[in-house]
Amino acid sequence: MGKFWQKLSGWVFCFGFLFIYSTGAIGAESYVTDRVDIQFRSGPGINYRLIGTLTSGTPVELKKEQSGWCLVVPKEGPFAGKEGWVHKRHITSSPPSNKDLVQLTEENKTLKTTIAQYENEVASLKQTIASLEKALEESKTQYAKLQTEAADFLSLKQTHDSLQKNIASLKEERDRLQEESRKAKNSERIRWFLTGAGVLFCGWIIGIITGRSQRRKNYTYYWK
């Protein structure tokens, strides 16, 4: 007798487990199946008051099951947040096809919007890249021009430095020649001065000698 009850308890447990998990986990989000209008009643049976109807795809919270009926709380629609009973066959743990279609349509719209935004960003980035490439080419041209100008500048600087050295050398030569010219002029003046002094001295001597000779002749004539 004890073995019989043990076997019976095991079968009851197995059927209960399969019954629970075939419908869905209690408290998990479930959906009304693909029927247009589902009766939403105040109790687990058709003899209970009809509260209203739930449209296909309405998300509900599954509270419990009883006699093939499910106590649910709709999350959307006019009966959102209110408890009621629907037949178990109208409840599924996955979104119905029309719910999937709506969700996929919305996701597709979102993806299209995102893609359009990305395309606009890509176009803007392409314009930015084109502008940067143009600026880069202009920079390369300016850089090449600067290199040429720099080479010319270095050449001019070398020429300028060489001319500066030549000018400095010429200035030194000019100063030397001016000094020599000044010394030569001074020497010439001294020479002419000495020559003039010598001439005057010679004239003075000649005058003295001439004067003496004249006095001597006069003295001789007087005695005669």
Side-chain angles (χ1 to χ4, degrees):
M1 190 69 178
K3 290 183 179 180
F4 172 77
W5 285 110
Q6 287 179 357
K7 289 182 179 181
L8 181 62
S9 298
W11 283 109
V12 169
F13 175 79
C14 290
F15 280 116
F17 180 83
L18 292 174
F19 176 79
I20 291 172
Y21 283 93
S22 64
T23 302
I26 301 300
E29 184 175 47
S30 302
Y31 297 88
V32 176
T33 56
D34 290 334
R35 295 178 64 95
V36 177
D37 293 316
I38 308 300
Q39 293 181 351
F40 188 52
R41 295 184 176 274
S42 60
I46 58 175
N47 56 331
Y48 286 90
R49 179 175 61 86
L50 180 65
I51 300 174
T53 57
L54 301 178
T55 58
S56 177
T58 302
V60 296
E61 181 183 355
L62 180 62
K63 293 290 188 179
K64 66 178 181 179
E65 297 180 17
Q66 180 180 337
S67 303
W69 290 76
C70 295
L71 178 63
V72 298
V73 178
K75 295 183 178 181
E76 297 177 359
F79 305 109
K82 185 175 181 179
E83 289 187 349
W85 294 83
V86 295
H87 200 278
K88 175 184 174 182
R89 68 174 178 270
H90 302 318
I91 299 299
T92 177
S93 59
S94 58
S97 58
N98 64 338
K99 188 76 173 179
D100 288 339
L101 180 61
V102 172
Q103 183 177 357
L104 290 174
T105 302
E106 293 298 325
E107 290 178 355
N108 187 40
K109 289 181 180 178
T110 303
L111 288 174
K112 284 182 177 180
T113 303
T114 304
I115 291 171
Q117 291 176 351
Y118 285 154
E119 288 177 348
N120 291 333
E121 291 179 0
V122 168
S124 177
L125 288 174
K126 285 182 178 180
Q127 292 179 354
T128 303
I129 291 171
S131 299
L132 291 174
E133 288 178 346
K134 183 179 179 180
L136 179 60
E137 291 299 324
E138 291 177 354
S139 297
K140 287 180 178 179
T141 303
Q142 292 178 356
Y143 178 71
K145 183 179 179 181
L146 287 174
Q147 282 184 322
T148 304
E149 291 177 352
D152 294 339
F153 173 77
L154 291 175
S155 177
L156 289 173
K157 187 175 183 303
Q158 291 176 354
T159 304
H160 176 267
D161 293 341
S162 177
L163 290 174
Q164 286 289 101
K165 290 180 180 179
N166 291 335
I167 290 171
S169 178
L170 290 173
K171 284 183 178 180
E172 290 178 357
E173 183 66 17
R174 181 201 63 187
D175 294 340
R176 185 183 65 79
L177 292 174
Q178 285 179 347
E179 182 65 20
E180 290 181 356
S181 176
R182 185 184 63 79
K183 289 180 179 180
K185 286 180 181 180
N186 290 336
S187 177
E188 186 70 18
R189 288 193 187 99
I190 293 171
R191 188 176 63 186
W192 280 107
F193 175 77
L194 293 176
T195 302
V199 170
L200 290 175
F201 180 74
C202 290
W204 179 70
I205 295 296
I206 293 171
I208 292 173
I209 294 172
T210 305
R212 286 181 179 180
S213 297
Q214 187 67 30
R215 283 196 301 270
R216 188 176 297 172
K217 287 181 180 181
N218 292 334
Y219 179 74
T220 304
Y221 177 75
Y222 176 77
W223 285 101
K224 286 181 178 183

